[in-house]
Amino acid sequence: MNVNFIGIGIILLIVGVIAFSGCTQNPEVTNTVIIQNSTFSPNPIHLEAGTEVTWINQDNASHKIVSDTGDFESPTLNKGDSFNHAFYDDGEYNYHDGINPSMKGKVIVQNRTTG
């Protein structure tokens, strides 16, 4: 009977360690947005202030990254082309595809030292 309690205890300990380690890990941080299948991924993208985002077109169609407020605009990106833009101020930055305006994305910038 004591062997069963020890076995159950070990199983519960393993499950607890796995659950705890999942809670303490940071989500994967990226500064790259992939354009594929007429979508932006990740969307939204979360960044620390001062980070440069790279959009990479892996779609067969051409795309153009355009800020909804006119803060940035890429040239037309053909398959394999990329565009970079740095974000320095906290806030949410909405953008869309200038060729296919129904494609929308968002960059969320937060200063990690204050946020």
Side-chain angles (χ1 to χ4, degrees):
M1 191 144 155
N2 287 338
V3 173
N4 286 339
F5 284 120
I6 292 171
I8 291 171
I10 291 171
I11 291 171
L12 290 174
L13 178 64
I14 291 170
V15 169
V17 168
I18 292 170
F20 181 75
S21 67
C23 291
T24 60
Q25 292 177 347
N26 291 329
E28 184 177 331
V29 176
T30 183
N31 65 332
T32 302
V33 175
I34 301 297
I35 306 165
Q36 193 169 31
N37 299 321
S38 295
T39 60
F40 298 112
S41 181
N43 185 21
I45 186 170
H46 295 264
L47 306 171
E48 187 170 341
T51 304
E52 183 175 79
V53 176
T54 301
W55 285 267
I56 302 172
N57 185 5
Q58 293 182 354
D59 211 345
N60 289 324
S62 297
H63 297 281
K64 186 174 187 172
I65 310 304
V66 179
S67 163
D68 288 359
T69 58
D71 292 335
F72 55 91
E73 183 174 325
S74 76
T76 298
L77 304 175
N78 297 311
K79 186 172 187 171
D81 291 344
S82 64
F83 170 70
N84 301 317
H85 181 77
F87 293 86
Y88 296 101
D89 297 321
D90 291 1
E92 295 186 3
Y93 300 84
N94 293 302
Y95 65 91
H96 62 277
D97 181 353
I99 297 171
N100 179 3
S102 65
M103 284 179 58
K104 298 181 184 299
K106 181 183 289 191
V107 176
I108 300 173
V109 180
Q110 183 175 7
N111 185 337
R112 300 280 187 239
T113 59
T114 61

